[in-house]
Amino acid sequence: MKQVKLIRTTQELRAWRRSVDATVGLVPTMGALHAGHAELLRRLRPRCEILVLSIFVNPTQFGLNEDLSKYPRTFERDRELAQSQGVDVIFAPDPAQIYPQGFSTYVEETKLSQPLCGSFRPGHFRGVATIVLKLFNLVRPEIALFGLKDAQQFFVLHRMARDLDLDVSVEAMPTVREDDGLALSSRNVYLSTEERAKAPELYRALTVAAEQLRRTPERVSEILSQTQDALSCHGFKVQYLEFLSLPDLVVPPIVSLDQPYLLAAAAYLGKTRLIDNVILNSGRLGEYGVVLEG
Ligand code: AMP
C-alpha cells in the first residue's frame, strides 16, 4: 500500500499543491482520531482523487481556561488510521507555521456563531473560521467534509464559504456514536468510569425531547425545561439546551412541523464538557443549499 505523505510546513504544502492537478478532498481535524474521523475519511475517499487529512490542535479556538495544553495528542495512531483509510496526505503543521510572529488577521462570522457554544466560548468560532479558511487556502480542496457532532461549527463554516465566495463545497455527515448512543469525541477520554456510564443520557434526553417536539411543537418551552431537569437529575450541569431554526440558528417565533431545526445541548459531567444535538427535518436543508451526507 502507498505510504501516506506527511507534510509539516506551509511552504511544502503549497509546493505539493501546485504540483497536483486533481480533485482534492479535505477532512480538517485536531487529531486524537476515532471512528467518527475515520467515517469522514471513508465517505470522502471515493469522492476525490487526493484525500487530505489535516491534524492541527488550533490554539486560537481554545479559551484561556480550556484544555489546549492537555488536549489528547496521538500522532502515531492517527497516522495509522489515516493510512488504513487511504489518506494521501497528512498536513500536520506546528502552530508557528500557521500563526507566524505578528499574525493579526482573523475571520469572523457574525450571526450563526453567536448562540449556543458561541455565547459560552467567546472567540471560539473566530478561531475555527480562521483556521479553516487558512486550510482551504493552503489545500484548495473541492470538497471539505465535517461532522454534525459539531453542528454549529458546520453551519458557521458553510455560511463563511458562501459569504466569502469560497470555491469549495462544505458538506456534513451524521454523528458517529458508541453503541449506547454517546457521540464519539476525542474528549471522551477525560470521562471517569462513572461519568462514562452516565454520558449516554445526554443523547437519550435529546432524542426523547426531539420526539416530543415532533408530536407537540407548541409545547417547546415546557419540553426544554423538562429535558433540562431530567439531565440535572442524571448529574449533568447543563450549560445550554436550545431549540433553534436552521440554517440560521435563531429562536423560531413559531414552530412548524416541517421546517428544519437544531436541538442542541452542552453539559458538564464533572469537569468534562459534552456537546450533542439532534436535527429535525434535515431533509429540508437542501433547499437552503446545505449538503448533508447520509
Ligand atoms: P475534531 O478533531 O474534534 O475537531 O473534529 C474534526 C471533525 O470531525 C469535525 O468536522 C467534527 O465535527 C468531526 N467529528 C468529531 N466527532 C465526530 C463524531 N462523533 N461523528 C461525526 N463527526 C465527528
Side-chain angles (χ1 to χ4, degrees):
M1 202 198 286
K2 215 178 104 216
Q3 279 295 109
V4 49
K5 183 179 173 67
L6 174 60
I7 298 183
R8 291 269 186 202
T9 67
T10 53
Q11 195 186 10
E12 197 192 338
L13 189 81
R14 278 194 192 287
W16 167 79
R17 185 62 182 93
R18 272 195 294 268
S19 74
V20 164
D21 180 19
T23 317
V24 174
L26 172 66
V27 172
T29 77
M30 298 205 298
L33 302 183
H34 52 61
H37 300 113
E39 181 63 11
L40 287 164
L41 295 167
R42 194 188 67 78
R43 285 184 185 234
L44 194 49
R45 178 63 283 184
R47 298 186 56 204
C48 55
E49 290 160 283
I50 302 283
L51 180 57
V52 179
L53 164 71
S54 64
I55 298 178
F56 181 63
V57 183
N58 175 37
T60 62
Q61 71 189 69
F62 286 76
L64 277 182
N65 299 314
E66 294 182 1
D67 57 345
L68 173 62
S69 60
K70 67 170 186 149
Y71 194 83
R73 288 160 168 90
T74 58
F75 185 75
E76 278 317 314
R77 271 184 38 216
D78 294 352
R79 193 211 294 253
E80 280 165 29
L81 184 143
Q83 179 83 40
S84 71
Q85 293 299 329
V87 168
D88 295 291
V89 172
I90 297 176
F91 178 49
D94 281 339
Q97 283 289 316
I98 296 296
Y99 300 111
Q101 199 73 46
F103 183 90
S104 59
T105 307
Y106 293 86
V107 188
E108 205 159 348
E109 190 287 327
T110 58
K111 287 212 168 82
L112 313 188
S113 55
Q114 297 306 309
L116 309 174
C117 289
S119 57
F120 293 96
R121 302 184 71 188
H124 171 68
F125 288 113
R126 182 174 97 141
V128 169
T130 302
I131 183 61
V132 172
L133 181 60
K134 283 174 66 82
L135 290 169
F136 285 174
N137 284 334
L138 288 161
V139 176
R140 288 189 273 126
E142 269 81 352
I143 314 169
L145 190 56
F146 296 86
L148 285 177
K149 155 87 174 22
D150 303 280
Q152 183 177 20
Q153 167 174 282
F154 164 68
F155 286 99
V156 166
L157 295 173
H158 188 271
R159 178 62 57 88
M160 171 183 83
R162 190 203 69 173
D163 288 354
L164 299 183
D165 304 302
L166 305 184
D167 198 9
V168 49
S169 177
V170 174
E171 304 181 14
M173 63 146 220
T175 301
V176 177
R177 300 179 180 282
E178 303 279 7
D179 289 343
D180 60 12
L182 176 65
L184 294 185
S185 164
S186 307
R187 289 184 166 104
N188 290 351
V189 296
Y190 300 154
L191 295 167
S192 69
T193 315
E194 207 176 297
E195 289 161 354
R196 174 63 189 82
K198 288 182 187 163
E201 288 303 329
L202 179 58
Y203 181 57
R204 215 164 294 155
L206 289 174
T207 34
V208 170
E211 196 40 55
Q212 292 171 335
L213 286 161
R214 272 190 196 101
R215 275 189 278 116
T216 51
E218 70 285 355
R219 286 179 53 230
V220 55
S221 26
E222 192 188 332
I223 294 167
L224 291 180
S225 90
Q226 281 171 1
T227 308
Q228 183 135 356
D229 291 348
L231 285 168
S232 304
C233 281
H234 279 107
F236 288 89
K237 224 177 120 223
V238 179
Q239 188 176 57
Y240 65 72
L241 171 68
E242 289 196 58
F243 184 66
L244 302 179
S245 62
L246 288 174
D248 287 335
L249 295 177
V250 292
V251 177
I254 48 155
V255 180
S256 76
L257 275 173
D258 59 346
Q259 290 298 303
Y261 298 102
L262 177 71
L263 175 65
Y268 282 91
L269 266 183
K271 289 199 166 108
T272 307
R273 183 176 178 274
L274 301 175
I275 58 169
D276 206 341
N277 66 77
V278 172
I279 294 183
L280 287 83
N281 304 317
S282 58
R284 296 287 302 271
L285 281 166
E287 295 162 33
Y288 300 92
V290 176
V291 181
L292 297 186
E293 276 235 328

